[in-house]
Amino acid sequence: MDSLLDANLERPKDEFLSVRNLHTHFPLDEGTVVAVDGASFDVAAGKTLGIVGESGCGKSVAARSILGILDKPGVIVDGEIRFRHRTADDESGEVVDLTNYDVDGEEMRSIRGGEIAYVFQEPMTSFSPVHTIGNQLMEAILLHRDVSKSEAEEIAIDMLRQVGIPLPEERIRQYSFELSGGLRQRAMIAMALSCNPSLLIADEPTTALDVTTQAQILELISDLQKEFGMAVMLITHDLGVIAEMADDVVVMYLGKVVESAPVDDIFHDPKHPYTKALLQSIPRVQSESREMLASITGSIPHPYDRPSGCAFNPRCPSFIEGTCDVGEPESITIGSDHQVSCFLYQEG
């Protein structure tokens, strides 16, 4: 599998989560949807990786691939997902390739929810409507921790308290539809953190929440990250959230990673035309009244009609005829930790 590695994307020395050349496909009657097309990125221990891009760029599918919770008929057809798995014999952990595990096997179930937790986009549809919040938290705790039922209930109440839910002894006996959107999201975070994971994947954790609640949820995630010392993989289309939360940023387009760099480099020295276009579309306080916001022309191509060459070439303001529509650019390193896939930075 080492042959899959790009020369410019060597593995980190202290490997925690390393995704390399990930390909996730959905074979359908109409054709095959290539949701993730050779994505490579790293999550450092204790750090926050932000993944950005428009809807349909493969962000959520890449995250779900890590945990093996793809909707059918989704399947990983190639690539590696290497994760430092905690073991009883070695506190530092053992690096394993999650793609080698049976998604329904005992090993994967112990990691899923135990060492890697997932906060879904919409907690209303993620919680069971016929079981109380407490039942669902306790089920996760009993599955991954060696505790009694009464101890699991105490842990569940304590976690609800830690995420800022008032009267947790009462809330634990309520159903998800009895809670507001903000409280449901807090309860989802409590469930995710109830087994002390080393990695939290937060998939659009502030979707459909008002701005005040959004700020509270993001502050909560940041505070809990510091308290538990966990890494966070934050998926969002909101670059303002990325600027506030992330240490490193991955920009995805049509299943590919087009640029990755530390957050300051992405905002102050973006390289890829797609990254620049995303940044230009952010509303600014200094904008004139009624001034039109910048937008990216066109839309993401249909899954069954992918363009030849660079996937972004039909919408790219820097399009080079005979180059961008012919071949796919390779990922190259600019500076120390800045990678970009664009012909503008390749020799020849």
Side-chain angles (χ1 to χ4, degrees), residues 199-217:
L199 171 63
L200 174 68
I201 301 176
D203 189 353
E204 301 280 5
T206 58
T207 296
L209 300 178
D210 60 81
V211 291
T212 301
T213 306
Q214 285 183 22
Q216 293 173 349
I217 293 297

Side-chain angles (χ1 to χ4, degrees), residues 13-14 34 54 70 79 101 109 137 176 189 193 206 218-219 226 254 256 258 260 282 294 307 329 333 335 348:
K13 293 180 180 179
D14 185 17
V34 181
E54 295 168 281
L70 294 167
Y101 286 170
R109 290 202 307 270
L137 263 72
S176 61
I189 294 172
L193 301 183
T206 58
L218 293 174
E219 184 179 3
K226 295 174 184 176
L254 209 62
K256 293 181 177 291
V258 296
S260 62
I282 300 176
T333 299

Side-chain angles (χ1 to χ4, degrees), residues 62-82:
R64 288 171 173 263
S65 298
I66 293 172
L67 283 180
I69 54 173
L70 294 167
D71 293 331
K72 294 183 179 180
V75 60
I76 298 174
V77 298
D78 201 357
E80 290 181 298
I81 303 172
R82 294 172 64 86

Side-chain angles (χ1 to χ4, degrees), residues 29-336:
D29 293 339
E30 300 85 352
T32 298
V33 175
V34 181
V36 182
D37 191 12
S40 298
F41 55 85
D42 300 310
V43 181
K47 300 293 186 179
T48 298
L49 174 71
I51 300 184
V52 298
E54 295 168 281
S55 297
C57 284
K59 307 183 299 295
S60 296
V61 175
R64 288 171 173 263
S65 298
I66 293 172
L67 283 180
I69 54 173
L70 294 167
D71 293 331
K72 294 183 179 180
V75 60
I76 298 174
V77 298
D78 201 357
E80 290 181 298
I81 303 172
R82 294 172 64 86
F83 175 67
R84 187 169 293 281
H85 170 43
R86 295 192 299 241
T87 63
D89 301 329
D90 186 359
E91 293 184 359
S92 63
E94 172 192 6
V95 177
V96 297
D97 186 354
L98 298 182
T99 60
N100 292 332
Y101 286 170
D102 178 2
V103 294
D104 296 319
E106 182 178 347
E107 297 94 341
M108 196 65 192
R109 290 202 307 270
S110 68
I111 293 175
R112 185 191 301 135
E115 297 183 55
I116 305 178
Y118 201 110
V119 175
F120 294 90
Q121 289 189 29
E122 178 45 69
M124 186 64 182
T125 58
S126 302
F127 277 119
S128 167
V130 297
H131 297 90
T132 64
I133 295 295
N135 282 338
Q136 295 176 72
L137 263 72
M138 289 169 61
E139 181 183 19
I141 294 168
L142 291 169
L143 180 63
H144 294 286
R145 300 176 67 168
D146 185 17
V147 296
S148 65
K149 190 173 182 179
S150 60
E151 290 173 327
E153 183 174 355
E154 291 178 5
I155 294 171
I157 292 173
D158 183 59
M159 286 306 307
L160 291 178
R161 184 179 293 109
Q162 287 193 51
V163 298
I165 294 181
L167 304 173
E169 295 84 358
E170 297 180 15
R171 300 293 187 184
I172 199 172
R173 313 202 188 284
Q174 292 184 312
Y175 296 88
S176 61
F177 57 81
E178 297 181 282
L179 304 181
S180 66
L183 289 181
R184 277 197 300 268
Q185 194 64 286
R186 289 175 183 269
M188 177 62 68
I189 294 172
M191 178 184 291
L193 301 183
S194 61
C195 298
N196 193 22
S198 53
L199 171 63
L200 174 68
I201 301 176
D203 189 353
E204 301 280 5
T206 58
T207 296
L209 300 178
D210 60 81
V211 291
T212 301
T213 306
Q214 285 183 22
Q216 293 173 349
I217 293 297
L218 293 174
E219 184 179 3
L220 172 64
I221 293 175
S222 180
D223 291 343
L224 292 173
Q225 179 183 23
K226 295 174 184 176
E227 180 179 347
F228 289 92
M230 62 185 177
V232 174
M233 181 174 163
L234 180 62
I235 300 170
T236 181
H237 60 267
D238 190 334
L239 287 166
V241 172
I242 291 296
E244 180 72 20
M245 298 283 292
D247 297 298
D248 301 288
V249 183
V250 163
V251 183
M252 290 189 68
Y253 185 79
L254 209 62
K256 293 181 177 291
V257 174
V258 296
E259 186 167 3
S260 62
V263 63
D264 287 343
D265 290 349
I266 288 292
F267 279 87
H268 298 296
D269 189 24
K271 299 297 183 183
H272 199 280
Y274 180 59
T275 308
K276 295 177 181 179
L278 289 176
L279 292 170
Q280 289 168 359
S281 65
I282 300 176
R284 287 172 171 77
V285 176
Q286 299 89 348
S287 299
E288 296 291 335
S289 177
R290 299 183 181 276
E291 181 181 347
M292 292 289 291
L293 288 175
S295 61
I296 306 175
T297 58
S299 59
I300 294 178
H302 192 279
Y304 301 130
D305 188 26
R306 296 170 68 92
S308 59
C310 173
F312 188 59
N313 84 75
R315 310 171 67 189
C316 183
S318 303
F319 170 72
I320 305 172
E321 188 174 358
T323 299
C324 297
D325 53 348
V326 175
E328 294 187 13
E330 297 179 356
S331 177
I332 63 171
T333 299
I334 299 175
S336 57

